[in-house]
Amino acid sequence: MTTDASATEEIAEVPPLGTDRHELLRAQLRRVLPHLLGPLDSAPLDDIEAHGDWQVIRRGEVLFHQGDAGDALYVVLSGRLEVRYDDGITERVVGNVARGDVVGEMSVLSGDPRSGTAVAVRNTVLARFSAEAFQYLCQRYPQILLYVSRTVIRRSQSISSGRSFEQPVVNVVLLPSDPEAPVRDLAERLSDALRPTMRTLLLDEERAENALGRQIGSDALGAVDDLRLMSWLDEQEARHDLSLYIAGPEPTPWTRRCVQRADLVLHVARADGPHRLTSAERRVVTEAPRPAQAKRALVLIHTDPERPPYRSARWIDEREVDQHLHLRWNDRQDMARLGRFVTGRSVGLVFGGGGARGFAHFGAYQAFRRIGIPVDAFGGTSMGAVIALQCALGWSKERMLSINRSSFVDRRIFQEYTLPLMAVVRGDRIHRALREVLAEQRIEDLWLPFFCVSTNLTRRSLRVHRYGPLVQALRATTALPGIVTPIVSDGDILVDGGVLNNLPGDIMGRYCAKVIGVDVATPSPPRYQGEQLPSPWMVLARRLFDPEHLRPFPSIVDIIQTAMLLGSEDHRETVQRQLDLYIHMPLPQFGFLEFDAIERLVEIGEQETLQILQEWSDREAFLREHLDAGPRGDRDTPPPPRTGFA
């Protein structure tokens, strides 16, 4: 594929030379308004335009601050804004506003101060309407008030759902992280992979200069020509689902413009190439404040699929990317996975803790594979993390059963008892078993993304393990308090992540667009039929001499696990609402340490998950979206507004 127009590309013309700034801005507003308000005659368009002012803000600049007076609302004509809310403790992003959306309407309607701060994450052009102009226009054209009211409702629904929401990625910049990185070839391969489902466009400096009729290789490009170029690029964005910008390793004006328009920057590098920052990365990516930058991901290209990733941390530490992906160059599945990540269709699978019941997670994953649901990243807590890693490593069912039976049953790694000063189980056998299987392997060197969580008792916080030694991460996440001795990391004491987050679907939601959670935790131990619990000596006597009349009673593990999960119960319910699919298999018939039931648990997990998936009402829609998604509709007009802010 070349950069010439193809079946997936529909090229708009650049506004002609001599077009002045006012005409360019007027044309942008006229393209947006009918989408917001429906068909309009020229007279209403002229009237609305006459009451608006133009405003251009650069990436990183603030449109308005939280607490400012609500004196105007804005229509985004091009670019993108990020709205942030500061509660006095932390500042968080509450949404994004893109072309065709309205921002600032909340305070204009209510008369209250701004509820958030709006920052440009791209160079952004807006039409500003004062509160007085808005009131006048609402009286003349009631559909404006109807549209704004619907926008407020959408925002309320988004917030109450508990799900974070983001504008789709439209502009992706491929930035070489070494001079020999095959960015053009990658862009062409990615475009080919997405062609059946999306209208994509490849943009490089040559194509932009041919369209503009002038060179871009100088910062002296005039303000009007710069606006002409921006207007043309906006039109490409409107006509295509995805624009792939091919940047260079040097900080040229074109490369800087690419990054300024980016929703996502892919740092592309050969895995065996030099890992130091290029001059473009050093200057272009860091010239805006970090919160105002586009999302950044590192794509490491591997030409030898038999050689596993090695020392990936060198690349990651230099760039501080949000995510990294390993791409086997001729692997179609890896290219499809990159396509899902870029287009906001990636699927993450998280497993919760639950002791031996966690073996059912592997069966659940087998069911996902049989149905055809792709999984792009794995995560988990405690035993759920152990199984999630085995899935990420691509273990077969036979290997999984063999290694786990050897570790958990034959070696009885949870029966290495010690003086109960810190815990009942010492943990050395667990550590040795992990090291025999994983050696010195690190999380960032896995072919597929993986994370697990532990609880940092020292800092009273959750630790997310996305980098570092796998053995240490798994040893921490499986350290059930009171049962297995904790570990020490950089002076901090780490225990099982289930204390704070037994099903980390919210963590996975930071990295994948869709999240599936499988939960095997039993809410509470069985009710005890009796007035009081038996003494330890009575239990021992019954076991030896009268086992048939021994009443079931909660073990120390059951009591500790249930007490631990109670602390994260509210959080688990919040996570459930955020998941795209929640599967709960409590399996109360199996004990927490019943590891010898591994085969039955895997089989039950697969069969129960298959049944749930077959009855899942959204299954076909989910598969269509993530496997066979069609074109995203007519992009000649901006996408429907998602929410209003501030």
Side-chain angles (χ1 to χ4, degrees), residues 109-387:
L109 287 174
S110 66
D112 296 330
R114 302 288 190 192
S115 58
T117 298
V119 182
V121 293
R122 279 204 229 156
N123 291 353
T124 302
V125 179
L126 309 109
R128 179 186 184 276
F129 296 91
S130 67
E132 294 77 13
F134 175 68
Q135 293 174 4
Y136 163 79
L137 292 172
C138 286
Q139 293 173 354
R140 291 290 304 273
Y141 313 105
Q143 64 264 43
I144 294 178
L145 186 58
L146 177 62
Y147 161 73
V148 172
S149 300
R150 288 174 176 170
T151 301
V152 173
I153 292 172
R154 289 190 188 98
R155 180 197 181 189
S156 301
Q157 291 174 339
S158 298
I159 294 175
S160 63
S161 70
R163 289 296 302 265
S164 60
F165 54 92
E166 297 181 352
Q167 295 289 344
V169 170
V170 176
N171 294 336
V172 177
V173 174
L174 287 84
L175 183 68
S177 286
D178 78 79
E180 302 300 322
V183 289
R184 182 178 297 277
D185 198 0
L186 177 60
E188 292 171 353
R189 293 185 183 210
L190 183 58
S191 180
D192 288 342
L194 296 172
R195 180 177 296 176
T197 65
M198 304 186 74
R199 288 170 294 183
T200 60
L201 174 68
L202 269 63
L203 286 167
D204 60 9
E205 185 171 2
E206 181 181 359
R207 167 170 280 185
E209 288 182 341
N210 289 339
L212 187 64
R214 297 195 177 185
Q215 289 189 343
I216 308 174
S218 170
D219 287 318
L221 194 65
V224 173
D225 281 337
D226 192 54
L227 194 55
R228 284 177 61 232
L229 178 60
M230 183 185 292
S231 179
W232 179 71
L233 293 173
D234 288 339
E235 279 302 293
Q236 309 317 314
E237 183 177 322
R239 291 169 181 258
H240 299 86
D241 299 306
L242 191 72
S243 296
L244 300 173
Y245 287 76
I246 301 173
E250 300 298 327
T252 63
W254 167 252
T255 295
R256 291 203 299 273
R257 282 183 171 85
C258 289
V259 175
Q260 288 169 356
R261 294 187 63 85
D263 301 311
L264 172 66
V265 176
L266 296 181
H267 297 254
V268 182
R270 299 166 300 153
D272 57 354
H275 67 276
R276 296 297 182 187
L277 287 171
T278 65
S279 56
E281 289 178 305
R282 187 176 298 107
R283 177 177 174 184
V284 176
V285 174
T286 58
E287 68 182 12
R290 186 65 178 95
Q293 292 178 15
K295 288 188 174 180
R296 293 159 53 190
L298 171 66
V299 179
L300 288 172
I301 295 175
H302 301 260
T303 54
D304 182 0
E306 301 302 321
R307 181 181 180 183
Y310 177 65
R311 297 184 68 185
S312 307
R314 296 177 302 163
W315 296 90
I316 298 168
D317 292 343
E318 289 271 0
R319 286 155 185 82
E320 297 183 2
V321 291
D322 301 298
Q323 196 163 353
H324 74 282
L325 300 169
H326 294 285
L327 178 70
R328 285 163 282 204
W329 190 231
N330 293 312
D331 191 303
R332 295 183 62 184
Q333 291 187 348
D334 279 8
M335 188 61 68
R337 181 173 295 109
L338 176 61
R340 286 193 294 272
F341 168 72
V342 166
T343 57
R345 296 181 293 170
S346 56
V347 181
L349 182 60
V350 290
F351 295 149
R357 304 182 193 102
F359 289 135
H361 289 311
F362 196 87
Y365 176 56
Q366 296 295 100
F368 291 126
R369 296 182 65 183
R370 287 181 59 178
I371 293 292
I373 295 176
V375 179
D376 302 306
F378 296 86
T381 299
S382 195
M383 193 64 184
V386 174
I387 303 302

Side-chain angles (χ1 to χ4, degrees), residues 379-390 393 395 404 408 413-414 427 430-431 433-435 437-439 441 443 446 450-454 465 467-480 484-485 487 494-497:
T381 299
S382 195
M383 193 64 184
V386 174
I387 303 302
L389 174 63
Q390 295 172 9
L393 289 170
W395 283 9
N404 284 296
F408 290 96
I413 59 176
F414 277 94
I430 300 174
H431 187 87
L434 290 171
R435 183 165 290 281
V437 176
L438 301 173
Q441 196 164 6
I443 297 174
L446 297 173
F450 165 82
F451 75 86
C452 64
V453 297
S454 65
H465 300 265
Y467 310 103
L470 272 167
V471 170
Q472 183 187 60
L474 291 187
R475 179 64 179 82
T477 194
T478 55
L480 185 66
V484 181
T485 53
I487 72 164
L494 307 182
V495 297
D496 195 306

